[in-house]
Amino acid sequence: MNSTQAPSIDIEPIRQQALLTPPAKPPSEAERQALFSRIKGLLKEKDAVLVAHYYTDDDLQQLADETGGCVSDSLEMARFGHDHPASTIVVAGVRFMGETAKILNPEKRVLMPTLQAECSLDLSCPADQFSAFCDQYPDRTVVVYANTSAEVKARADWVVTSSIATKVVQHLHDKGEKIIWAPDRYLGDYVQKVTGADMILWQGACIVHDEFKAAELRKLRDKHPGAAVLVHPESPADVIEQADVVGSTTQLINAVHDLPNETFIIATDRGIFYKMHEAAPDKKLIEAPTGGIGASCGSCAHCPWMAMNGLQNLADSLEQGTNEVHVDPQIARQAKVSVQRMLDFAAELKTGAIGESNIASPA
């Protein structure tokens, strides 16, 4: 283990910025039906495919499913767009997701409903500060979470998602490598505990997962003694400690389907409930508490930047070609190296080229 500390990060201004973020205006039912029809026509007309993150609102996830698109995490969204024959990828999510899609698909046009949708993890890891910090430790391997800018990915040796983070870090640890991890301190702490790796943790946090409160969660568990607690590892350690399953978005959805429990308490963005209900329509889903002592409810279990994505701005982007994502080609080429390294590692895991005997369970 390592005791060296990265610089402290003040998350509060980022939280306040999120509180001022206006959500997309919900349409009436008549407007919703008209927008569904309009967007479906535009997707065909523009040779475009819609990929939506699990945390976007139900309408966008439904629309992606109905039009042959994809609802998933950020890396699978980008990979799907790469494999799909459409010349335009429309990314419903936050800005780094559009950038990741462009990094992996430089030859395609990438549009978003809005380019103003930020991510608190991305914002809490400015590329210039992070790069300067990494320069102080040239002997360390730099591993960054997908929730980062293209510039941070370009500075990294590896990009990881929550589903593969512990496997990559365990692999590096077994090779004797020391690590700089960014940006999420909670996920980094979890990975460090699981793997025992020597890691310096950047001190960023997700404003959604940071809101979950351990004391209130214990009270909620007492009210629902048969419930399984599912926690995304971007959550605080005292919340993770109460989990029956700690996992990525896809792993949590699978847990709702696979576990015999009838009730689940979910500590991640409530946008995931759409796919959870689809996977297990008879199960009861309860949001983990964000209230209680010390709560500011800057998110209330739903990312305010994700909520900026709506049917109207999606239709406008498609029709007008606005909100196109651009990444500096040199930065994109550098960033693709660290992203591709993870994709190649994941492929080798599937084929057995990298053994799993010494690899810890994934986050």
Side-chain angles (χ1 to χ4, degrees):
M1 298 291 227
N2 178 73
S3 59
T4 304
Q5 293 293 317
S8 61
I9 302 294
D10 186 1
I11 300 298
E12 191 55 33
I14 298 174
R15 195 189 311 277
Q16 293 303 315
Q17 180 180 343
L19 286 169
L20 298 175
T21 300
K25 181 182 176 182
S28 67
E29 182 56 30
E31 291 170 332
R32 177 179 175 274
Q33 293 298 329
L35 283 166
F36 258 66
S37 177
R38 177 182 167 199
I39 291 167
K40 287 179 179 180
L42 285 167
L43 287 169
K44 291 181 180 179
E45 177 187 333
K46 306 294 184 179
D47 187 32
V49 63
L50 173 62
V51 294
H53 192 269
Y54 289 127
Y55 293 162
T56 54
D57 289 339
D58 292 3
D59 281 347
L60 298 174
Q61 296 186 52
Q62 179 183 339
L63 191 56
D65 281 339
E66 289 183 357
T67 56
C70 171
V71 180
S72 191
D73 61 27
S74 59
L75 261 295
E76 182 55 36
M77 289 160 63
R79 284 188 293 194
F80 181 91
H82 177 74
D83 294 338
H84 197 280
S87 60
T88 295
I89 307 169
V90 185
V91 177
V94 294
R95 184 165 49 84
F96 82 81
M97 297 175 183
E99 289 183 348
T100 304
K102 187 64 178 179
I103 289 166
L104 287 178
N105 306 281
E107 76 288 354
K108 296 190 177 186
R109 183 172 67 156
V110 177
L111 302 178
M112 298 190 72
T114 173
L115 295 178
Q116 305 306 310
E118 301 283 1
C119 169
S120 54
L121 285 170
D122 185 355
L123 292 175
S124 65
C125 191
D128 54 348
Q129 295 179 33
F130 181 65
S131 182
F133 179 75
C134 292
D135 289 344
Q136 300 176 39
Y137 302 94
D139 61 325
R140 288 183 176 265
T141 301
V142 180
V143 181
V144 304
Y145 197 25
N147 300 39
T148 47
S149 67
E151 290 80 7
V152 168
K153 290 180 174 73
R155 181 60 180 82
D157 299 298
W158 288 79
V159 171
V160 298
T161 61
S162 55
S163 63
I164 203 171
T166 54
K167 292 187 177 186
V168 168
V169 171
Q170 186 73 59
H171 173 71
L172 297 174
H173 177 52
D174 290 345
K175 292 168 60 181
E177 298 185 31
K178 299 178 181 180
I179 293 162
I180 291 175
W181 167 275
D184 190 274
R185 61 179 181 260
Y186 296 128
L187 178 56
D189 179 66
Y190 176 79
V191 170
Q192 187 175 47
K193 287 175 179 175
V194 170
T195 64
D198 184 333
M199 299 169 65
I200 302 175
L201 308 181
W202 191 259
Q203 295 297 297
C206 167
I207 60 167
V208 176
H209 295 91
D210 191 42
E211 292 283 346
F212 294 121
K213 304 300 175 186
E216 300 303 317
L217 177 57
R218 292 188 189 95
K219 295 176 185 178
L220 187 60
R221 290 172 64 204
D222 289 342
K223 292 180 181 179
H224 302 276
V229 178
L230 310 184
V231 178
H232 193 284
E234 290 176 29
S235 305
D238 53 1
V239 173
I240 292 175
E241 287 169 1
Q242 299 183 55
D244 295 289
V245 175
V246 182
S248 66
T249 46
T250 299
Q251 289 162 347
L252 298 185
I253 292 168
N254 290 340
V256 169
H257 177 270
D258 295 341
L259 293 180
N261 307 69
E262 293 301 318
T263 302
F264 293 85
I265 299 171
I266 314 296
T268 194
D269 191 296
R270 67 171 178 264
I272 204 173
F273 282 21
Y274 176 82
K275 279 296 180 182
M276 286 182 168
H277 282 305
E278 190 176 82
D282 296 329
K283 302 290 182 74
K284 181 179 180 181
L285 307 179
I286 304 172
E287 292 177 24
T290 56
I293 298 173
S296 66
C297 207
S299 66
C300 291
H302 188 46
C303 174
W305 287 299
M306 286 285 187
M308 294 179 74
N309 292 270
L311 294 175
Q312 184 64 60
N313 55 10
L314 169 59
D316 292 345
S317 176
L318 264 171
E319 190 167 67
Q320 302 165 20
T322 51
N323 300 322
E324 182 172 356
V325 177
H326 297 282
V327 178
D328 178 271
Q330 182 176 348
I331 294 294
R333 285 191 294 271
Q334 293 172 332
K336 188 173 182 179
V337 173
S338 58
V339 175
Q340 192 63 50
R341 187 168 283 139
M342 185 204 70
L343 297 178
D344 293 343
F345 180 86
E348 290 174 0
L349 279 177
K350 286 185 178 181
T351 63
I354 298 175
E356 293 197 63
S357 58
N358 295 318
I359 297 178
S361 299

